[in-house]
Amino acid sequence: MPSATVNNHRPSELLSRLASSEPEVKLRALREVKNQIIGNRTKKLSFLKLGAVPAVAGILADSADDVIDCNNNNCNVNNNINNILVQSAAALGSFACGFDAGVQAVLDAGAFPNLLRLLSNSNEKVVDAGARALRMIYQSKLAPKYDFLQQKNMEFLISLLNSENENVSGLGASIITNSCETSLEQKALFDAGILRRLNSLLECGSLSQKDASLESLASIFKNNSEVVSKFAGPEIERPLGSIIDLLKDRYPRTRLLACMCLIVIRSTSPNLLQDIGIKSKLIHILIELLDDPGQVGDEAPFAFSSLIAQKEDLQKLALEANAIDKLHHHLQKGSLHPRRYEGILLALADMCSKLESCRSKFLSLQVLNLVTDALTVDSADVRTAACICLKSVTRSIKNLSAGYFINEMVVVPLVQLFLDPSTSVQVAALGAISNVVVDFTTHKCIFVQCGGMKQLVQLATSMESAVRSNALWALKNFVFLADNRLKESVFSELTASLLSSLICDPEPSVQEQALALVRNLVDGCINSVEFMFAEDGLILGAIGRQLQSTVKAEIGIQGMYALCNVASGNEFHKEAVMHQLFPQMVDKNQSFMINFLQSNDSQLRTATVWTIVNLTCRSSPGAFGRLVKLRNAGIVSQIKNMVNDPCVDVKVIKFMFWSFFFIFFFTFLINLISIFVEQLRVRTVLGQSMAFGDN
Amino acid sequence: MPVRVAENSAPSQVSGTNSGNTSPPACTLLSVGQAFSGTQNVSSLQKEEAWRVNVRIQGCDLEHGYLCGTMEALNVPMADTPIVVTFWEGEIVDTKNYTFYTGKWEASSEDDKRHWTKFPSFSPLLNQVEVDGGKSLDLSNYPYIFMRWKEQYFVNVGTDCGLTIAGFYYVCFSCSDGSINGFYYDPNSSPFQKLELISTNEGRSGFSFSSYELQ
């Protein structure tokens, strides 16, 4: 067999053949390199390491020059050169195909401009090979960005799209898919009439032209409602019709791309494609595409996710279409490609993100076991997706209340992921555990026993702010309604100094979570308020300082609720809060309480008024003095100004506050009267005694 | 002095379709973690009887008109444990997710009206409820929140404990003082068992609020 001898050369041997001065030898070597590396990443890598790409790029450059020099000479020479050009372009395209390291090597070798030059070659095969190689490069994010805003570039692009050659027009579409990002570029492409051309390719093009057009249309539409509305307008005949038609195409990839294009249109212009028919169609097609054994099946769950994410109506339709059963079925198959595995888990996560009915289905099918299995697989993306899926399903308060999730099967592998080398896995695991530890039963000890609590405290000091913030979030949920013993163990692990430094963390989200954690720590048993006074009231001081300086409502809300909870304690606690609200050194400045009461955020206004209610609680002896202080700081008159506050909650508290105020006012009057009566009595007695003395 | 909110407490009607925000107001006293205590009157013709009851809110999702929590009944006769805990889920009457008409749990619209009218704060709404079930009411500024609470399962005892959770509660929460009134409805139990709860501060000299957030 002739091919046997060709295929047996080792890479190093082939490389020396590429350097041959004999055109025939060189041509055969090029062909063999190309054949060996097609679809074989390992082979690509080994050729890459040997420096094959610069060698092939050099051959391409030399031959491209030769073709110009001998353009008018004899045809045979040109034929040989053209063959070399075709084979070197094809080899470079293969290196670049689906392999970023290959793309980088091709670009580094300076082959890109020479491949572009091939597009103006007179030989159709050379043009085709050049276009094909460039398409491979433009499928990677590493491809040089194309500047659509330059007139000559736009003209060149139009010429590519108008070409009869399938690969050349496909290249045009790939360039758009790769480089069209800004709304200005999208508008420029629309104004240049590109969409008409793409639309005609959808209707009359070949399979690859249709696919390429669908992809580039999606990039032109993405987040640009103006362009979508123009495209869907009367200017273009049956604009969306041509895409919708392709949902029925016989090729799975075309159906997938048509779905993805329509999903982009739907999310960009929510008023389009809203009828239930098209929604159901998209759901059914994407579910069906999961069965595809190849790349289409790998990508289908991601498209499905983007269709249903944040959309309850679509999640409901998908549930009715048995999407969870189908996804479960695929998950059960086992030995899935990591990309498909990740996609299915993310699709399940989106299905269970909002609706309890979906979570019930998920749990009744016992998908949970398969998802927890995925927490320990090799791929970090799959582990992250499994955590995200758990995060979604553990939003079920009904099951949290029943203590359904806080068991060793779920908790132990999640806690192990706290130390995962990948930060995204860590963050996702912390997100899932944040929900799991919202447990209303007495099973929180499981989390402590497996070392979860101690690890959360350690992660609160991580260098990554997302990890710190999520660790504190989980601790906040963990101590919610926890008994005092559990809170004490968290606090002794955390320490007042660490907690106060986290309240003053440079990252606002960390500050917010640290304050919310303190808020929960000092709720419940009255003894818990004492946490605030550890280490000379370090935490209380940190809260006061943070509230003085913050401009973020979220931080103000958590800080004020923390103070509110302390102010619900005894007289000493209330006075300590007053000290933070009115520190002596900033007496001349307006109290931040005024700003909070004037905030646009009703939650911040509410938290502030509740704190005032607690400080002026009528059962506490020092309330009157505090009320006077609040009045002097202009807070009482500010509350008076809130008569028409649209927030019912603030109004209600305000009325409670005024009821206290009036009680104090009358108490004050009664006190005055009794002092007056007493003085009168004393005077009378004195008068009497003097009178007696006189006598 | 609760009742002062009367200035704008009359519910308005939503113009046109139910497109605006008609959800009840967010109320801190009806948020997660809040506790209530009181009694449920279970008197029958034979004898006067009331059980002590504690309630804790565990979940609240105003967007979906959803609320849930636990209910503890203390010293229930015939029960094996001193405290019987149940988990309940609530439907908030927001005219978007749920209306005043129950449409399930063996409650007819007549049963609904008979129970809702037991709450004085329902009176201003009655006429509109009779017209369209209250669908056109805007309750977003109304200082009372109407709900149905349905016990779903026993937390600490088995279903064979000799007790039933077949019925459900018609509930009215006052945003003004955090009090809860309710009436238990079960065609097979004594009618109009009254539930009366007040917000508790658990030994504190003021109100305390904790919270959790699901990710």
Side-chain angles (χ1 to χ4, degrees):
Chain A
M1 297 235 334
S3 62
T5 54
V6 175
N7 282 339
N8 278 341
H9 291 114
R10 286 206 311 268
S12 53
E13 194 181 338
L14 273 175
L15 216 64
S16 63
R17 284 168 174 260
L18 286 175
S20 165
S21 57
E22 288 290 314
E24 280 301 313
V25 177
K26 195 178 280 194
L27 185 63
R28 275 202 301 273
L30 279 170
R31 198 173 277 139
E32 196 177 335
V33 169
K34 182 196 74 180
N35 289 340
Q36 283 202 28
I37 63 173
I38 281 177
N40 189 333
R41 281 176 76 90
T42 320
K43 271 280 167 65
K44 280 183 195 180
L45 202 62
S46 62
F47 272 105
L48 217 64
K49 283 177 182 165
L50 288 170
V53 172
V56 177
I59 295 170
L60 175 74
D62 294 345
S63 306
D65 290 341
D66 290 349
V67 86
I68 294 164
D69 293 343
C70 64
N71 242 350
N72 299 319
N73 297 337
N74 81 54
C75 277
N76 279 339
V77 176
N78 251 356
N79 274 345
N80 281 340
I81 293 171
N82 285 341
N83 283 339
I84 288 177
L85 285 174
V86 168
Q87 291 307 322
S88 54
L92 291 171
S94 286
F95 275 116
C97 183
F99 186 54
D100 273 351
V103 175
Q104 194 60 58
V106 171
L107 294 174
D108 290 347
F112 186 77
N114 289 324
L115 287 169
L116 272 179
R117 279 167 67 192
L118 299 187
L119 298 179
S120 49
N121 194 291
S122 55
N123 184 298
E124 190 60 26
K125 283 182 180 169
V126 173
V127 172
D128 191 71
R132 196 187 285 262
L134 286 165
R135 281 187 77 178
M136 299 305 166
I137 293 171
Y138 270 105
Q139 277 167 6
S140 162
K141 289 283 167 208
L142 298 173
K145 188 165 159 50
Y146 195 83
D147 185 359
F148 300 106
L149 304 179
Q150 282 192 27
Q151 183 62 30
K152 63 176 178 46
N153 281 0
M154 188 64 91
E155 284 165 9
F156 180 65
L157 179 68
I158 292 169
S159 73
L160 292 178
L161 288 169
N162 286 336
S163 168
E164 292 295 314
N165 181 303
E166 208 177 293
N167 275 316
V168 175
S169 59
L171 169 63
S174 297
I175 290 173
I176 296 171
T177 307
N178 179 280
S179 296
C180 175
E181 284 169 348
T182 68
S183 57
L184 208 63
E185 290 166 340
Q186 290 167 325
K187 177 92 177 7
L189 287 165
F190 180 83
D191 291 342
I194 297 283
L195 266 65
R196 281 175 194 279
R197 177 61 188 148
L198 291 174
N199 198 48
S200 66
L201 287 175
L202 283 185
E203 293 189 333
C204 322
S206 66
L207 170 66
S208 83
Q209 283 171 326
K210 281 178 186 170
D211 288 358
S213 298
L214 283 167
E215 281 187 289
S216 46
L217 277 170
S219 358
I220 300 173
F221 293 147
K222 195 170 186 182
N223 300 327
N224 195 327
S225 55
E226 191 190 343
V227 168
V228 171
S229 62
K230 281 182 179 168
F231 183 71
E235 283 175 41
I236 292 175
E237 203 182 331
R238 292 186 69 248
L240 298 182
S242 51
I243 306 174
I244 293 169
D245 287 350
L246 292 175
L247 293 174
K248 293 179 290 199
D249 197 90
R250 57 194 278 245
Y251 293 101
R253 180 166 165 74
T254 308
R255 294 203 295 279
L256 175 69
L257 292 172
C259 286
M260 288 163 76
C261 191
L262 291 171
I263 292 167
V264 166
I265 293 171
R266 268 180 56 84
S267 57
T268 304
S269 293
N271 54 330
L272 288 174
L273 302 167
Q274 285 306 309
D275 68 285
I276 193 147
I278 190 80
K279 288 180 194 174
S280 297
K281 199 178 274 181
L282 286 170
I283 287 168
H284 280 102
I285 292 168
L286 289 170
I287 291 175
E288 178 200 288
L289 288 174
L290 291 171
D291 294 331
D292 184 280
Q295 202 191 0
V296 169
D298 294 347
E299 295 304 320
F302 290 92
F304 178 80
S305 277
S306 64
L307 173 67
I308 62 160
Q310 303 298 322
K311 308 237 171 32
E312 276 184 33
D313 56 337
L314 283 153
Q315 289 163 16
K316 206 170 165 196
L317 279 174
L319 177 69
E320 286 161 10
N322 295 324
I324 295 183
D325 305 63
K326 299 271 172 59
L327 290 164
H328 175 224
H329 171 70
H330 283 281
L331 212 50
Q332 275 178 315
K333 284 182 184 168
S335 62
L336 294 167
H337 184 278
R339 178 78 179 158
R340 184 180 295 238
Y341 205 171
E342 179 195 3
I344 290 172
L345 290 167
L346 291 177
L348 281 165
D350 279 313
M351 278 300 291
C352 296
S353 62
K354 284 185 169 277
L355 296 174
E356 192 60 24
S357 49
C358 290
R359 294 179 199 130
S360 299
K361 182 74 179 179
F362 176 100
L363 293 170
S364 70
L365 290 171
Q366 298 187 322
V367 190
L368 190 66
N369 301 352
L370 296 171
V371 176
T372 50
D373 288 347
L375 293 171
T376 52
V377 302
D378 287 340
S379 159
D381 289 337
V382 174
R383 293 197 301 276
T384 305
C387 291
I388 294 171
C389 186
L390 279 178
K391 190 167 73 177
S392 257
V393 79
T394 53
R395 285 180 193 151
S396 166
I397 304 172
K398 187 177 177 179
N399 286 292
L400 281 171
S401 293
Y404 189 78
F405 302 113
I406 196 143
N407 55 58
E408 285 177 2
M409 182 186 82
V410 176
V411 172
V412 172
L414 275 177
V415 169
Q416 279 165 359
L417 293 182
F418 287 179
L419 299 175
D420 197 278
S422 152
T423 306
S424 62
V425 174
Q426 275 186 312
V427 171
L430 287 168
I433 210 77
S434 292
N435 294 354
V436 171
V437 295
V438 179
D439 173 69
F440 300 97
T441 62
T442 51
H443 301 141
K444 288 200 186 203
C445 53
I446 291 176
F447 184 64
V448 180
Q449 281 159 6
C450 72
M453 189 267 281
K454 285 191 176 188
Q455 283 196 32
L456 281 185
V457 173
Q458 276 174 12
L459 290 175
T461 60
S462 161
M463 296 295 283
E464 294 282 342
S465 64
V467 174
R468 287 200 303 281
S469 168
N470 264 17
L472 287 169
W473 189 322
L475 282 168
K476 169 189 77 178
N477 285 358
F478 181 65
V479 299
F480 172 73
L481 297 185
D483 64 53
N484 216 41
R485 257 202 359 232
L486 207 62
K487 283 182 184 174
E488 273 168 8
S489 60
V490 171
F491 188 74
S492 66
E493 201 66 40
L494 261 173
T495 72
S497 50
L498 173 59
L499 203 42
S500 54
S501 72
L502 288 165
I503 289 169
C504 302
D505 192 275
E507 185 60 42
S509 66
V510 177
Q511 296 169 17
E512 183 190 347
Q513 293 306 326
L515 287 165
L517 167 60
V518 171
R519 169 188 173 180
N520 283 1
L521 268 176
V522 295
D523 177 58
C525 170
I526 188 75
N527 295 340
S528 63
V529 179
E530 295 302 328
F531 293 139
M532 294 293 255
F533 298 92
E535 294 186 44
D536 293 329
L538 212 55
I539 298 173
L540 204 56
I543 297 174
R545 284 195 302 281
Q546 198 53 262
L547 289 175
Q548 295 278 359
S549 59
T550 190
V551 287
K552 290 197 174 290
E554 302 79 31
I555 292 167
I557 292 164
Q558 299 306 333
M560 281 317 290
Y561 271 123
L563 290 188
C564 171
N565 291 356
V566 177
S568 68
N570 61 30
E571 206 53 26
F572 172 74
H573 301 143
K574 289 181 201 290
E575 281 304 319
V577 170
M578 283 300 282
H579 182 69
Q580 294 307 323
L581 297 177
F582 304 103
Q584 284 174 346
M585 60 196 87
V586 289
D587 256 356
K588 286 176 188 164
N589 297 336
Q590 178 178 279
S591 165
F592 62 83
M593 302 260 286
I594 299 275
N595 300 335
F596 287 0
L597 289 171
Q598 291 172 344
S599 164
N600 290 331
D601 192 305
S602 66
Q603 284 194 67
L604 182 52
R605 297 199 302 278
T606 304
T608 309
V609 184
W610 273 118
T611 309
I612 297 168
V613 167
N614 282 350
L615 290 170
T616 54
C617 178
R618 57 186 146 170
S619 60
S620 57
F624 181 72
R626 288 191 288 274
L627 190 61
V628 170
K629 212 167 184 177
L630 289 165
R631 192 193 60 196
N632 293 343
I635 285 161
V636 173
S637 54
Q638 175 55 39
I639 291 187
K640 209 168 140 191
N641 291 337
M642 292 163 73
V643 170
N644 295 317
D645 195 309
C647 173
V648 173
D649 217 13
V650 169
K651 266 184 194 165
V652 168
I653 306 166
K654 194 181 65 205
F655 277 105
M656 294 170 76
F657 177 70
W658 279 114
S659 73
F660 298 142
F661 181 74
F662 285 122
I663 286 162
F664 284 117
F665 181 70
F666 286 120
T667 314
F668 181 63
L669 269 186
I670 289 163
N671 283 344
L672 271 184
I673 291 166
S674 46
I675 290 166
F676 179 72
V677 169
E678 180 64 18
Q679 281 179 347
L680 203 67
R681 197 181 65 79
V682 171
R683 272 186 205 162
T684 313
V685 172
L686 276 175
Q688 281 171 349
S689 64
M690 279 165 74
F692 285 130
D694 287 346
N695 288 338
Chain B
M1 344 233 160
V3 219
R4 46 332 72 200
V5 197
E7 41 180 305
N8 60 354
S9 64
S12 56
Q13 266 186 264
V14 179
S15 56
T17 53
N18 224 353
S19 53
N21 172 30
T22 60
S23 298
C27 188
T28 328
L29 290 174
L30 195 68
S31 57
V32 292
Q34 289 305 294
F36 302 83
S37 66
T39 56
Q40 180 171 340
N41 190 317
V42 290
S43 301
S44 60
L45 288 172
Q46 286 77 30
K47 66 169 180 179
E48 284 286 311
E49 195 177 353
W51 296 346
R52 275 182 56 210
V53 173
N54 294 328
V55 163
R56 171 87 72 181
I57 309 292
Q58 292 187 337
C60 183
D61 177 4
L62 288 182
E63 194 193 330
H64 292 99
Y66 178 83
L67 195 76
C68 68
T70 49
M71 188 180 276
E72 296 175 355
L74 281 72
N75 302 319
V76 177
M78 297 146 48
D80 296 334
T81 56
I83 302 173
V84 176
V85 188
T86 53
F87 174 80
W88 55 267
E89 289 185 297
E91 297 178 346
I92 299 173
V93 177
D94 54 8
T95 70
K96 184 183 80 173
N97 294 290
Y98 302 103
T99 71
F100 283 97
Y101 290 138
T102 309
K104 56 189 167 187
W105 303 329
E106 296 182 59
S108 67
S109 55
E110 284 312 308
D111 293 322
D112 290 332
K113 272 188 280 183
R114 236 191 341 267
H115 283 82
W116 290 127
T117 47
K118 288 267 178 192
F119 303 113
S121 50
F122 179 74
S123 308
L125 316 177
L126 177 61
N127 286 344
Q128 198 55 45
V129 170
E130 283 186 326
V131 174
D132 61 0
K135 277 182 191 161
S136 56
L137 286 169
D138 174 7
L139 298 171
S140 58
N141 251 333
Y142 202 55
Y144 295 91
I145 298 174
F146 298 95
M147 295 170 273
R148 282 178 287 270
W149 290 1
K150 172 84 179 104
E151 288 163 297
Q152 299 291 355
Y153 57 82
F154 288 103
V155 174
N156 65 335
V157 293
T159 44
D160 55 350
C161 61
L163 297 162
T164 172
I165 49 171
F168 72 95
Y169 293 86
Y170 291 89
V171 176
C172 174
F173 171 81
S174 163
C175 298
S176 321
D177 57 10
S179 66
I180 291 174
N181 283 293
F183 291 97
Y184 187 65
Y185 171 73
D186 175 6
N188 302 316
S189 299
S190 323
F192 303 116
Q193 294 180 22
K194 191 170 187 189
L195 178 72
E196 289 176 290
L197 303 167
I198 54 163
S199 178
T200 59
N201 54 15
E202 298 174 276
R204 288 182 177 238
S205 168
F207 297 86
S208 174
F209 305 94
S210 57
S211 182
Y212 68 85
E213 278 177 291
L214 294 175
Q215 288 210 23

